[in-house]
Amino acid sequence: VIVANGHHWDPRYPKPDFSGEFTGEIMHSHFYKTPEKFADKKVLILGIGNSGCDISCELSKVAAKVTLATRSGAHVIPKYILGKPLDANGKVLAGLPLGIQRAIFNVILKITRGKVEDYGLPTPKQRLFEEHPTVSNDLLNLIGHGRIHVKPNIQKYQGKTVFFEDGSSEDFDVIIY
């Protein structure tokens, strides 16, 4: 048996780290197991990748507040499209040129969820399929219902207070990278 989990074997933290010191708990998503220990806590998740989104969605059911901070936007694609898993739809489109695949998916996403900016997320810098997409059925709905809040990148820490690049600040108990 060979397990080849690539770059996911080693937790990566922001480099350089943000200035100041955070006095709450800091952990990496690599070490996240279950949501129970985050009940009634204010949690900041840094990063809009699949792990960050999955954890945000799960914690939104138990935490006092969940905030997702991101320095860049992402294309958020549902796990199911037209009643089929995303990868099953991908197989149907696989023979088409990338530009046509991108156009079809953009139309489907516009119809089913609108623009990610409408949910308060930043505009993705890359076109669809130029980077690994974020796959989630729940993220945009939970943001829309106010269960997950969106902030820009972190600027600095001061105790349990996190300052964001938009000039706002907020206290948190836990930060998950």
Side-chain angles (χ1 to χ4, degrees):
V1 174
I2 296 174
V3 177
N5 49 349
H7 70 275
H8 294 291
W9 73 275
D10 187 27
R12 292 178 12 189
Y13 292 87
K15 290 184 183 178
D17 199 0
F18 305 105
S19 65
E21 181 182 347
F22 183 71
T23 56
E25 180 184 357
I26 293 179
M27 68 179 288
H28 193 279
S29 63
H30 181 82
F31 302 106
Y32 175 87
K33 301 296 180 214
T34 60
E36 293 81 17
K37 78 177 225 167
F38 301 95
D40 302 318
K41 294 189 177 187
K42 292 179 71 177
V43 182
L44 173 64
I45 291 128
L46 180 62
I48 193 166
N50 287 307
S51 296
C53 289
D54 289 345
I55 293 169
S56 296
C57 293
E58 190 168 90
L59 291 183
S60 73
K61 296 172 179 76
V62 300
K65 185 173 184 180
V66 174
T67 302
L68 179 64
T70 178
R71 68 178 178 262
S72 62
H75 294 280
V76 181
I77 298 175
K79 291 181 181 185
Y80 286 82
I81 295 178
L82 302 172
K84 294 185 179 182
L86 180 62
D87 57 349
N89 283 304
K91 289 176 188 171
V92 171
L93 301 176
L96 298 175
L98 180 58
I100 294 173
Q101 290 180 42
R102 182 179 288 129
I104 291 169
F105 262 91
N106 276 324
V107 169
I108 291 169
L109 294 176
K110 186 173 185 175
I111 291 169
T112 59
R113 60 142 174 92
K115 298 187 294 187
V116 294
E117 298 88 344
D118 295 338
Y119 297 88
L121 292 170
T123 303
K125 292 177 181 161
Q126 269 67 0
R127 293 183 301 168
L128 187 62
F129 303 139
E130 285 185 344
E131 63 182 17
H132 192 274
T134 299
V135 181
S136 176
N137 275 349
D138 302 321
L139 179 68
L140 298 177
N141 289 331
L142 291 167
I143 291 171
H145 286 284
R147 295 295 303 145
I148 297 174
H149 304 268
V150 178
K151 286 286 192 180
N153 200 23
I154 296 170
Q155 182 182 38
K156 67 178 182 175
Y157 305 128
Q158 186 175 8
K160 284 192 166 191
T161 305
V162 176
F163 294 84
F164 297 95
E165 289 182 347
D166 66 356
S168 66
S169 63
E170 196 170 330
D171 291 347
F172 293 95
D173 301 304
V174 182
I175 297 175
I176 301 175
Y177 290 124

